[in-house]
Amino acid sequence: MPWDLIIFYMLAAVCIAAALGVVVATNPVHSAIFLVLCFFNVAGVFVMMGAEFLAVIQVIVYTGAILVLLLFVLMLVNPDDLPEFHQGKPVQRVVGGLLGLILLLEIAIAILNREVVGVTGTATPEAIAAVGGNTQAIGRLLFSDYLLAFEVVSLVLTVGVIGAIVLALPERLGEKVVQRKGTISLGHARGVDMEALGEGTPEGEAPILSGRGGFAKASGGRKLVMTNDPDEYTGA
Amino acid sequence: MNLDLSLDLISPVWRLTTPQLIVFFLALVLLMLDAFLPKAKHFTVLTAVSIGGYAAAIVALYWQHDKNESTFNGLFRADGLTVFLSLILLCAAILSVMTSASYVDRLEGRMPLGEFYVLLAFSILGALLVASAGNLIMIFVGIELSALATYVLAAFAKRRATALEGAMKYFLLGMFASALLVYGMTWVYGITGSTDLDQIAAHLQGVVTGSESRQPEILFALLLVVVGLGFKIAAVPFHMWTPDAYDGAPTPVTGFMSVAPKAAGFAAILRLLVQGLGPLRDDWYLLIAILATLTMIFGNLVAISQRNVKRMLAYSSIAHTGYMMVGLAAYNSASGEGRFVSLAGDTAQSDPGITSLLYYLFAYAFVNIGAFAVITWVQHRGRGMLLEDFAGLGQTNPLAAFAMTIFMVSLMGVPPLLGFYAKYYVIVAAINADLLWLAVAVVLASALSAYFYLRVVAVMYFSAPSRELRATSTPLLNAGIALMAVANVALGLFSNQVLDLADFWSGAMTVAQAVASR
Amino acid sequence: MADYLILIPLLPLVAAIINLLLGRTVTRGKAHLVSVPAVAGSWFVSLLVLRDIWNTEHAIEQKLFTWIPSGSFNVPVNLYADQLTAVMLMVVTSVGLLVHIYSIGYMHGDGAYYRFFAYLPLFVFSMLMLVLADNYMIVFFFWEAVGLCSFLLIGYYYKRRSAGNAAKKAFIVNRVGDLGFGLGVIMIFWTFGTVNFWGPEGVFARVGDFGQTTITVIALLLFTGAIGKSAQFPLHVWLPDAMEGPTPVSALIHAATMVTAGIYLVARSNALFQASTTAMLVVTCIGLFTAVMGASIAITQNDIKRIVAYSTVSQLGFMAFALGTGAWMAAIFHLMTHAFFKGLLFLGCGSVIHGMHEEQDIQKMGNLRKYMPVTFLTFLIGSLANAGIFPLAGFWSKDEIIVGAWISTVFPNFGKVVTVLAFAAAFMTAFYMFRLVFKVFFGKENFDTEHVHPHESPKTMTGPLVILAVATILIGFVGFPPEDGKFHHFIGTVFESHAGEATHAMASVAVHNDGGALAVMAEEGEHGGHHVSLAMTITFGVISSVVAIGGIFLAYLYYIRRSLSAEATAARFNGLYNFLYNRWGFDTLYQERIVAPLMRLAYFLWQVIDVKVIDGTVNGIAKGTLSASQTLRKVQTGVVSNYALAIALGMVVIIGIYLVGFSSLDVPFLR
Amino acid sequence: MGELGVEHFLSLSAALFIIGMMGVLIRRNILIIFMCVELMLTAANISLIAFGWQMHSLDGQVFVLFTIAIAAAEAAVGLAIILALSRRVHTVDVAEIHELRD
């Protein structure tokens, strides 16, 4: 067995194991760490296919940026809010697993019967080496053929930043301090449990939404916070 | 694409991209204005700049309208489809600005208007880029740009848990579908060796000719793409995010979401499925037809039992996706008789199926945004969006009720309104394509839909008003509603002109195919 | 050049829309400020059109857009104005404008003032589009539209039960005619493959390509529409009832414009009718019968508006048989003059009713000339014109019709019979008109002078009366000298060109049919209609004057000198009187023989078929749908994992089916 | 399978894709679902590079670059949505977040 094959199998095995770890780990932090492990191995696989640049990107962007971000969010989310794993819904798991297996079969058919192969390009290892390596070659493509897409991706990242700021920025300071109370019908989907504006329930009767607990099954045992005060929906 | 060993930077034809550039600069200008303009002037200036920008882009479309060229090494195409879809998207953008300005500025705890407009512009820009894409990568990047901005818009009322919930579902499933789409595109790339749509078509044409059955990898690639794009346009059974995301989003955003991302999804379908995978038409048309039937029937059926008008319209928009897919299924049938259009020197036969789909999208923008605008209008006046909240609107506010009636009846497809013509052309296209059963399904589904559309009308006119509406001044929103109501009547009469425009794309496509087969 | 053509229908449409949308809130009592200028503008543009056509002698066209383009069936919406259209435009806009002005005074203070001033321009718009259309489909569309406007306006006082019934009656009776027209349009499309009037592929140019039977059927179907709209026997019953609407409406729609749509349609389709002698015969017979019947009924009626309404029916009959005898120009001439003097009469009636505080029974009037001199004078002029007294409008046109019948080459001998009966109708016309005048304006007051104080109407009402009276006096002279006036030269080209086109077709038909009459007529057609000697013109002028004066004199004997007693005559000819008084029994006949059985059938269908069978099924389906809907909505669990599961399931199933069913796979365990 | 071929990489890609999909279907923690989607995207990336490797084409690698960039942007937005949501409803369990349904 050639060495590259052995290396591939090792990388692949760790990769798949780590991926499974992501899915089954009880603690989300463990999942994240498994994911890092998996991505490191994927970067190794990239190198095997001559995509050194992408391997580096994979490590820097995924493990360096995305996963750190993810871990931050994990930390920001109250640990009490995390659901325990293996809690009910076995049907979902069985069906999910079954679908996965069937899809595996289908993909396997597609891979193993593969006959139609696209036209061969000119980016042979020798040609790439002549340009100065993988990074050089990709750079050239990126700034010639794919210039427009490259520019548009910069916009995508801009939108990502704007969106993250808009959504994650905490609202007015008061909101964090003041316990939220009162619910609202305006803009609310069901409008059933919500009283109308203006003629609403007296303040004392409005359910006090504090932390968690108490509030029936609609929110899965948790409280749904709609608004600070009724007026903020009406611009009054 | 081949690797060019010498580094020669391309010199793109910028003039072809004028409308897209205008929207791009609009977004940047809005961003700057938002940062540096005094808060008091935000509403007027930003709204005016937005509408002006989109209007300028529409004007700029005029110089694109007879082109059939590509630039940026084939990444960007300026042809009939680009123009027509851009027209739809820019109209939708203007209408969305008109209907959402006061809502965003006043309701749900005063959302930041500047960011809203910026995201709207980026969402439109993404969709515009999909419409003009000539490459798998551009389709993907454009769709994601549009979707990303829309995720944020859907979550824009972040004080309301339901808005975030809807956005979360939209986002997670959107990414899931994106993964399927990318995987599908991966396979398309794998079997053709190119990401350029024309080359994909040319390569597939070679593979497909002379073989009755398909290699599994081709089917696999095709079906993954269909699933990924089916999600974007909300076709059953990939539709389930729609009602929740639409329900949760701020109402004017819902109107926008039901049109622009859907148009972007159909643009991607037209580019990828029709232009790129067109040679596989015989493989996908039946699937599309069956999905269309499921979509129409499911959407209309579930809409019947909704008491929340907004949610009802969400289901109805699923059904309308189904009608549009009928036009898609009728694509390139042997027996179809198209009209001849002349385009950039080439005379080509248009495709009635695609033409009807494009016309439907166009009509749909004016009807659906309008319907959501009336809900917005009611919310401005301190009411919710349940059926009961519309009770007696006919007596208290006859004009609003009249507008809503127009929109409902138009959605139902009653002549001589815009919605009727849209459905009419779709049905004609289906019949021309020998898909008689599909045409019958459209008619049956429409009959089903009468129940819940007319119920809104009935509630408005025959129920006693339960509560006084609060007086609120929303001139821009009123103007928008009036505009759309008039357009529903007027554009129906001038459907031929719109149809001519739509024909450009169908013509352009056959030209492209002729070029590809040369 | 002709881009202003669109303005003619557009202005009233805009006015209608403004008043419909903003009437309740903005325009309210000032609604006429929107409508009147709009119609005036439309009138002015029509004048320009008339001038242009007059000068250039060419038709004006304006292409708008294509409506419903799909395959071979496409309907262009184009405006087309030739000489005939120009005349119709002038009639519609002139009378329309005057009626608008008149309505300012007449409708003053009405609760839904704006609604009236929305419907009225809407009607004007539809009518203008009808005459401007250049294909049968659009004509049919606006044919229905004018019907709808008429329905809305007859039922304008919708709180009055009789108004509602009259509106319904007009609507239903017209449906019968419209059904025929609709079938005609379909048949035209089948036969010709197009519905367009003009052009080498148009209907008129290719009449000769098809067999005579086909053309006859088409022509008769079209005429069915005309029967309904122009109130010809046997569908005339709706018109007198339509008088329930406000009087200006009666003047505009039910005297001057809408009812002439049928005449216009036949005249417009003259190429079709000329190709079929049978159709011409039918038109003549029905027109003649209607003329005599309408006049005879009018003699006995007592409701002032009803008399004028039956007079309208009768005059429409005149026009119809003029068409049938091939006197096309005379028919259109009479259409035009009639529009003015009948409009005048109706507005005069309105003025009388207004002055008498909504009294319509002529038995309860009398000596009104003392109280309302302007109305009296103008009404007198209208009556004289209607009776056909020299030199008023009615004289010229009616005389021409009669001469046309006499010399008709379509049916040479039958034409003489027609002439005699036409004289009888003319005699009755003079009689009933002056019976009306004498009873209303002369004699002694038959009303309670203590409580009823007749008064002259306001200026906005008398103004139009005066204008119309002047027009009634003068309009006849456009047709002077008879048969060869300016009017004839102007409009003659319309019928000439088609006659020319039809000639060849007919010549070939004539060979087969050995139809001498047709050949003669075809030859005549080449020269543009009749050629009448001066002597004959004068002779007929004298005869018809004598007949008219005789009718007036008889009325004078009965109602002024009272040397003859109306009551005694009525008692003597009791049966005849009752027969006429009950309007030949048509209303009763229809009620008993048609409406009642239909109602019974409908009741049966409703009670047995509908309630038991259909409703049961429908309810069952509805219930099933609802429960399906309720079940399916539960699929939407709200849990995002389930949604993802649906996507994945859909994907896996679709891929599976495709791989098994459509792929080239040759894996044993899959095949 | 004597030699390292494209099928090896494609199979690895398929395995990761399916594990990711199963994770999306089974797990209830939004954050983990998110990670699983990233896993699916990575799987697609492997395929892209593998196809390009086979056909001597660099387009696949460029595509991957864009995918990664977009995944990063989506992560920012998505995590912001999740963060805002968890502040409101105090849970990241999808089974509990079903206020919008039917």
Side-chain angles (χ1 to χ4, degrees):
Chain A
M1 193 182 276
W3 274 107
D4 54 356
L5 208 56
I6 295 172
I7 295 173
F8 171 79
Y9 279 132
M10 282 169 62
L11 286 174
V14 179
C15 225
I16 291 173
L20 284 172
V22 174
V23 177
V24 295
T26 324
N27 188 335
V29 179
H30 295 171
S31 286
I33 292 167
F34 275 124
L35 196 63
V36 173
L37 181 63
C38 178
F39 283 175
F40 265 116
N41 282 280
V42 169
V45 173
F46 283 4
V47 173
M48 291 190 74
M49 291 185 286
E52 297 90 359
F53 178 65
L54 287 174
V56 176
I57 295 289
Q58 174 82 9
V59 173
I60 293 177
V61 175
Y62 263 122
T63 44
I66 299 182
L67 280 171
V68 171
L69 197 61
L70 190 71
L71 285 171
F72 262 119
V73 174
L74 270 177
M75 298 308 155
L76 283 174
V77 172
N78 195 324
D80 290 351
D81 293 345
L82 295 171
E84 296 85 50
F85 189 50
H86 302 302
Q87 175 196 76
K89 307 271 176 200
V91 179
Q92 180 98 18
R93 267 186 283 146
V94 171
V95 175
L98 213 60
L99 283 182
L101 288 179
I102 300 173
L103 188 64
L104 185 64
L105 181 70
E106 288 167 353
I107 301 184
I109 292 171
I111 293 174
L112 298 177
N113 287 280
R114 186 160 170 266
E115 279 172 15
V116 180
V117 179
V119 281
T120 309
T122 53
T124 52
E126 297 76 39
I128 291 174
V131 185
N134 175 259
T135 312
Q136 289 261 3
I138 289 193
R140 275 163 196 255
L141 262 186
L142 213 50
F143 287 99
S144 58
D145 286 357
Y146 291 104
L147 182 65
L148 182 65
F150 185 74
E151 300 293 346
V152 176
V153 162
S154 70
L155 294 184
V156 175
L157 290 169
T158 315
V159 172
V161 173
I162 298 174
I165 291 174
V166 168
L167 292 177
L169 207 65
E171 295 108 80
R172 288 188 307 243
L173 192 64
E175 190 164 331
K176 280 190 160 174
V177 183
V178 178
Q179 278 297 349
R180 293 137 187 160
K181 65 188 173 198
T183 52
I184 201 79
S185 73
L186 189 65
H188 181 260
R190 215 152 268 95
V192 180
D193 50 342
M194 309 293 161
E195 249 318 309
L197 275 178
E199 51 189 61
T201 46
E203 284 200 7
E205 288 177 28
I208 303 293
L209 305 179
S210 58
R212 58 193 71 92
F215 203 35
K217 58 182 172 17
S219 54
R222 312 286 166 134
K223 202 134 282 186
L224 286 178
V225 178
M226 295 298 163
T227 169
N228 274 341
D229 56 323
D231 282 345
E232 71 179 42
Y233 282 101
T234 61
Chain B
M1 249 169 257
N2 295 340
L3 177 64
D4 204 338
L5 296 183
S6 63
L7 179 71
D8 52 339
L9 294 175
I10 54 164
S11 49
V13 189
W14 290 102
R15 129 187 93 73
L16 285 178
T17 64
T18 322
Q20 287 79 3
L21 278 180
I22 290 177
V23 177
F24 167 63
F25 283 116
L26 172 68
L28 296 191
V29 167
L30 286 171
L31 208 53
M32 289 296 117
L33 284 178
D34 181 42
F36 296 116
L37 208 67
K39 278 268 183 273
K41 290 185 178 168
H42 267 196
F43 185 84
T44 332
V45 175
L46 293 180
T47 310
V49 168
S50 290
I51 294 180
Y54 295 124
I58 290 183
V59 173
L61 279 180
Y62 176 77
W63 284 280
Q64 242 184 14
H65 85 277
D66 53 352
K67 299 283 190 304
N68 191 14
E69 298 172 30
S70 65
T71 181
F72 282 106
N73 254 344
L75 259 59
F76 184 94
R77 292 187 61 91
D79 58 18
L81 179 66
T82 309
V83 174
F84 195 80
L85 282 171
S86 304
L87 182 67
I88 296 171
L89 288 165
L90 292 169
C91 287
I94 291 182
L95 296 175
S96 296
V97 169
M98 291 178 88
T99 54
S100 54
S102 52
Y103 187 98
V104 174
D105 197 46
R106 289 195 221 150
L107 300 188
E108 306 225 45
R110 293 180 174 265
M111 297 173 259
L113 191 64
E115 280 87 347
F116 180 82
Y117 283 154
V118 172
L119 289 167
L120 198 70
F122 275 123
S123 180
I124 289 291
L125 182 59
L128 288 178
L129 288 169
V130 181
S132 60
N135 195 300
L136 285 186
I137 294 181
M138 277 310 290
I139 291 180
F140 179 63
V141 173
I143 271 201
E144 289 306 318
L145 175 58
S146 172
L148 206 54
T150 317
Y151 298 148
V152 184
L153 288 179
F156 218 67
K158 59 173 175 171
R159 286 151 191 272
R160 187 156 45 80
T162 43
L164 291 168
E165 182 188 333
M168 181 270 288
K169 289 175 182 170
Y170 185 21
F171 167 75
L172 277 186
L173 294 173
M175 269 197 82
F176 183 60
S178 285
L180 298 180
L181 181 62
V182 176
Y183 200 48
M185 286 179 166
T186 300
W187 278 87
V188 171
Y189 169 62
I191 54 179
T192 58
S194 176
T195 53
D196 186 84
L197 292 177
D198 287 340
Q199 289 182 27
I200 290 173
H203 191 264
L204 279 180
Q205 192 72 53
V207 175
V208 165
T209 19
S211 69
E212 274 298 301
S213 52
R214 296 280 169 272
Q215 278 293 315
E217 62 270 23
I218 295 181
L219 291 178
F220 191 67
L222 171 72
L223 297 174
L224 278 175
V225 166
V226 170
V227 172
L229 293 175
F231 171 87
K232 299 285 176 199
I233 59 168
V236 171
F238 319 116
H239 68 284
M240 300 187 81
W241 59 280
T242 330
D244 293 0
Y246 283 17
D247 196 354
T251 313
V253 174
T254 311
F256 173 78
M257 277 167 71
S258 70
V259 173
K262 187 168 287 191
F266 271 106
I269 283 193
L270 288 173
R271 286 295 182 196
L272 184 46
L273 213 56
V274 175
Q275 192 178 343
L277 304 181
L280 299 177
R281 185 258 171 191
D282 289 345
D283 293 310
W284 55 253
Y285 91 95
L286 195 63
L287 174 64
I288 296 287
I290 291 170
L291 289 187
T293 316
L294 285 178
T295 309
M296 288 185 288
I297 290 177
F298 182 87
N300 283 326
L301 205 55
V302 181
I304 287 177
S305 53
Q306 300 299 323
R307 295 205 64 75
N308 181 337
V309 178
K310 194 170 164 186
R311 204 172 169 80
M312 182 206 90
L313 281 176
Y315 280 107
S316 116
S317 84
I318 294 177
H320 284 274
T321 297
Y323 301 138
M324 295 178 206
M325 288 168 77
V326 171
L328 185 64
Y331 161 69
N332 198 20
S333 53
S335 57
E337 51 169 82
R339 301 193 292 174
F340 282 88
V341 290
S342 157
L343 206 134
D346 291 296
T347 304
Q349 198 178 26
S350 64
D351 184 84
I354 301 299
T355 303
S356 70
L357 162 61
L358 288 174
Y359 186 85
Y360 207 111
L361 271 174
F362 179 82
Y364 184 69
F366 284 89
V367 189
N368 225 36
I369 295 183
F372 281 109
V374 179
I375 303 181
T376 312
W377 189 92
V378 171
Q379 280 184 286
H380 267 289
R381 277 144 191 82
R383 294 268 199 107
M385 48 225 168
L386 293 183
L387 219 45
E388 294 87 69
D389 293 306
F390 285 79
L393 209 60
Q395 285 124 54
T396 55
N397 298 77
L399 279 181
F402 182 64
M404 190 65 169
T405 309
I406 286 191
F407 297 134
M408 290 294 116
V409 173
S410 190
L411 279 172
M412 211 171 99
V414 171
L417 298 173
L418 200 49
F420 161 75
Y421 291 93
K423 233 170 247 177
Y424 172 77
Y425 294 131
V426 163
I427 291 173
V428 168
I431 293 173
N432 276 343
D434 287 336
L435 289 168
L436 194 63
W437 61 272
L438 201 54
V440 172
V442 172
V443 175
L444 285 181
S446 300
L448 208 58
S449 73
Y451 182 78
F452 56 89
Y453 290 132
L454 289 183
R455 192 168 56 183
V456 177
V457 178
V459 164
M460 285 194 302
Y461 285 99
F462 303 131
S463 300
S466 55
R467 199 148 46 88
E468 277 295 301
L469 293 181
R470 201 178 39 193
T472 309
S473 159
T474 49
L476 195 63
L477 175 62
N478 296 349
I481 295 176
L483 181 71
M484 284 179 274
V486 171
N488 261 292
V489 181
L491 287 176
L493 286 178
F494 292 95
S495 65
N496 195 32
Q497 273 65 18
V498 182
L499 213 59
D500 278 342
L501 274 176
D503 269 350
F504 270 127
W505 152 245
S506 317
M509 190 175 46
T510 38
V511 170
Q513 279 177 354
V515 171
S517 61
R518 242 174 245 160
Chain C
M1 160 205 169
D3 288 345
Y4 56 83
L5 211 53
I6 180 75
L7 283 176
I8 299 177
L10 194 63
L11 288 169
L13 177 66
V14 170
I17 290 174
I18 289 176
N19 276 341
L20 267 184
L21 290 182
L22 305 176
R24 245 170 72 147
T25 48
V26 184
T27 51
R28 289 174 187 259
K30 299 267 179 291
H32 59 269
L33 291 182
V34 179
S35 302
V36 174
V39 179
S42 177
W43 173 78
F44 181 71
V45 181
S46 303
L47 212 57
L48 292 181
V49 170
L50 179 70
R51 189 201 59 184
D52 280 351
I53 297 178
W54 190 287
N55 289 340
T56 61
E57 297 191 350
H58 281 297
I60 302 179
E61 256 187 288
Q62 183 174 5
K63 294 207 179 335
L64 294 184
F65 56 88
T66 306
W67 187 52
I68 312 187
S70 69
S72 58
F73 182 72
N74 63 65
V75 179
V77 181
N78 296 337
L79 302 182
Y80 182 95
D82 63 355
Q83 287 85 345
L84 177 60
T85 313
V87 171
M88 290 302 290
L89 285 179
M90 283 319 294
V91 169
V92 173
T93 52
S94 312
V95 179
L97 177 60
L98 292 171
V99 166
H100 269 78
I101 295 170
Y102 179 89
S103 305
I104 301 173
Y106 190 86
M107 299 304 290
H108 183 74
D110 191 274
Y113 191 70
Y114 71 92
R115 198 154 54 88
F116 187 78
F117 273 100
Y119 292 160
L120 218 49
L122 189 66
F123 166 79
V124 173
F125 159 74
S126 311
M127 189 67 204
L128 289 170
M129 282 305 290
L130 195 158
V131 296
L132 280 168
D134 82 334
N135 64 61
Y136 280 109
M137 195 66 211
I138 299 296
V139 169
F140 183 66
F141 186 87
F142 285 100
W143 186 270
E144 296 293 333
V146 289
L148 177 71
C149 292
S150 158
F151 170 73
L152 290 173
L153 283 165
I154 296 172
Y156 178 74
Y157 298 122
Y158 59 89
K159 284 173 186 149
R160 211 155 70 191
R161 193 181 165 80
S162 57
N165 284 342
K168 258 189 283 178
K169 187 168 182 180
F171 201 65
I172 293 168
V173 171
N174 263 304
R175 282 289 74 66
V176 179
D178 294 350
L179 179 69
F181 187 15
L183 287 176
V185 174
I186 292 171
M187 184 132 177
I188 286 174
F189 184 72
W190 264 2
T191 314
F192 293 89
T194 179
V195 288
N196 296 351
F197 292 157
W198 312 108
E201 293 299 307
V203 173
F204 298 156
R206 293 196 294 142
V207 172
D209 301 352
F210 302 95
Q212 219 196 340
T213 324
T214 320
I215 300 295
T216 305
V217 171
I218 290 176
L220 285 179
L221 283 173
L222 292 182
F223 186 60
T224 319
I227 288 178
K229 195 114 295 185
S230 290
Q232 300 293 302
F233 167 83
L235 297 182
H236 63 276
V237 286
W238 66 272
L239 185 59
D241 283 21
M243 298 303 140
E244 285 291 345
T247 308
V249 172
S250 310
L252 177 62
I253 301 184
H254 305 121
T257 55
M258 186 186 84
V259 289
T260 61
I263 307 298
Y264 167 79
L265 179 71
V266 176
R268 175 54 85 203
S269 316
N270 64 70
L272 287 167
F273 281 87
Q274 283 181 353
S276 162
T277 333
T278 321
M280 296 286 267
L281 185 65
V282 171
V283 174
T284 310
C285 291
I286 289 195
L288 192 63
F289 187 81
T290 311
V292 174
M293 179 199 68
S296 65
I297 294 175
I299 293 174
T300 56
Q301 300 302 309
N302 283 327
D303 182 322
I304 181 166
K305 280 179 80 179
R306 224 164 241 278
I307 298 173
V308 184
Y310 274 108
S311 162
T312 306
V313 172
S314 163
Q315 298 299 317
L316 287 167
F318 269 89
M319 294 177 216
F321 79 74
L323 294 171
T325 51
W328 306 102
M329 282 180 263
I332 297 301
F333 189 28
H334 194 58
L335 187 160
M336 182 174 78
T337 56
H338 175 257
F340 287 99
F341 67 70
K342 193 50 65 64
L344 169 62
L345 285 175
F346 265 115
L347 294 188
C349 287
S351 184
V352 169
I353 295 167
H354 193 74
M356 289 293 295
H357 307 292
E358 312 303 317
E359 181 56 65
Q360 300 203 6
D361 191 343
I362 56 169
Q363 314 269 30
K364 297 178 183 160
M365 298 179 187
N367 204 20
L368 285 184
R369 71 188 151 150
K370 198 176 96 191
Y371 302 97
M372 21 185 37
V374 182
T375 307
F376 164 64
L377 266 178
T378 51
F379 199 90
L380 185 67
I381 292 172
S383 305
L384 287 170
N386 198 8
I389 298 296
F390 179 85
L392 296 171
F395 169 76
W396 303 105
S397 51
K398 202 180 286 181
D399 187 38
E400 218 166 273
I401 289 177
I402 293 170
V403 175
W406 182 260
I407 61 164
S408 169
T409 45
V410 184
F411 346 92
N413 295 319
F414 185 58
K416 311 285 185 289
V417 181
V418 172
T419 312
V420 174
L421 285 172
F423 274 127
F427 179 77
M428 287 191 273
T429 306
F431 178 77
Y432 68 70
M433 260 346 283
F434 278 83
R435 171 176 174 261
L436 176 62
V437 170
F438 294 146
K439 278 198 133 176
V440 172
F441 292 102
F442 292 84
K444 63 173 195 309
E445 289 92 337
N446 286 329
F447 48 86
D448 184 359
T449 42
E450 295 290 308
H451 295 99
V452 181
H453 305 286
H455 57 85
E456 187 57 278
S457 303
K459 285 273 185 303
T460 48
M461 286 168 71
T462 51
L465 287 179
V466 173
I467 296 173
L468 277 172
V470 173
T472 302
I473 297 169
L474 296 180
I475 198 82
F477 288 98
V478 302
F480 181 83
E483 318 292 345
D484 200 27
K486 278 207 161 58
F487 179 79
H488 302 84
H489 285 290
F490 178 61
I491 204 163
T493 50
V494 176
F495 303 106
E496 206 170 279
S497 52
H498 300 310
E501 279 162 17
T503 306
H504 306 289
M506 255 183 288
S508 61
V509 174
V511 172
H512 297 295
N513 290 6
D514 200 19
L518 272 175
V520 171
M521 182 187 149
E523 241 165 58
E524 287 250 355
E526 300 234 19
H527 304 292
H530 328 287
H531 282 265
V532 189
S533 68
L534 190 64
M536 187 188 264
T537 310
I538 293 173
T539 317
F540 272 95
V542 171
I543 296 177
S544 56
S545 293
V546 168
V547 165
I549 291 167
I552 295 172
F553 184 68
L554 191 64
Y556 174 74
L557 293 180
Y558 268 111
Y559 301 105
I560 301 285
R561 276 190 56 188
R562 298 199 173 272
S563 53
L564 292 168
S565 162
E567 289 73 25
T569 318
R572 180 123 175 248
F573 302 102
N574 193 12
L576 181 64
Y577 179 81
N578 281 336
F579 178 63
L580 293 180
Y581 186 77
N582 293 325
R583 297 155 238 157
W584 290 41
F586 279 120
D587 293 87
T588 339
L589 182 77
Y590 289 166
Q591 187 64 37
E592 279 172 8
R593 295 280 166 236
I594 298 177
V595 178
L598 272 179
M599 290 292 277
R600 280 196 290 275
L601 179 67
Y603 187 78
F604 168 78
L605 288 177
W606 172 48
Q607 279 298 319
V608 178
I609 309 288
D610 201 51
V611 172
K612 296 221 171 99
V613 181
I614 298 179
D615 273 12
T617 322
V618 169
N619 288 342
I621 290 174
K623 254 183 217 154
T625 313
L626 263 180
S627 64
S629 176
Q630 291 289 357
T631 318
L632 271 179
R633 71 185 285 192
K634 295 289 169 223
V635 172
Q636 199 82 15
T637 54
V639 179
V640 76
S641 310
N642 297 348
Y643 298 179
L645 196 67
I647 295 177
L649 188 66
M651 175 179 74
V652 168
V653 168
I654 291 171
I655 294 177
I657 291 173
Y658 263 77
L659 287 186
V660 173
F662 302 100
S663 77
S664 59
L665 210 61
D666 206 18
V667 186
F669 64 88
L670 274 179
R671 281 278 151 172
Chain D
M1 282 208 186
E3 210 173 316
L4 183 62
V6 71
E7 283 79 14
H8 289 94
F9 295 110
L10 291 182
S11 306
L12 172 63
S13 154
L16 288 185
F17 191 82
I18 284 161
I19 293 172
M21 192 186 88
M22 278 160 48
V24 172
L25 299 184
I26 304 176
R27 292 302 301 251
R28 288 167 46 189
N29 186 333
I30 301 175
L31 291 161
I32 292 182
I33 293 178
F34 177 75
M35 290 183 218
C36 291
V37 175
E38 295 289 352
L39 207 55
M40 290 168 75
L41 279 173
T42 305
N45 289 347
I46 297 175
S47 278
L48 272 173
I49 299 179
F51 282 127
W53 178 68
Q54 185 196 19
M55 296 180 295
H56 295 304
S57 156
L58 277 183
D59 295 332
Q61 295 200 20
V62 176
F63 203 148
V64 170
L65 194 62
F66 290 129
T67 322
I68 293 178
I70 285 169
E74 294 214 340
V77 169
L79 291 174
I81 292 177
I82 295 171
L83 194 61
L85 182 68
S86 73
R87 279 191 203 150
R88 282 277 178 260
V89 298
H90 298 285
T91 181
V92 287
D93 184 353
V94 290
E96 292 182 4
I97 307 174
H98 52 83
E99 175 64 19
L100 295 168
R101 60 165 179 263
D102 291 343

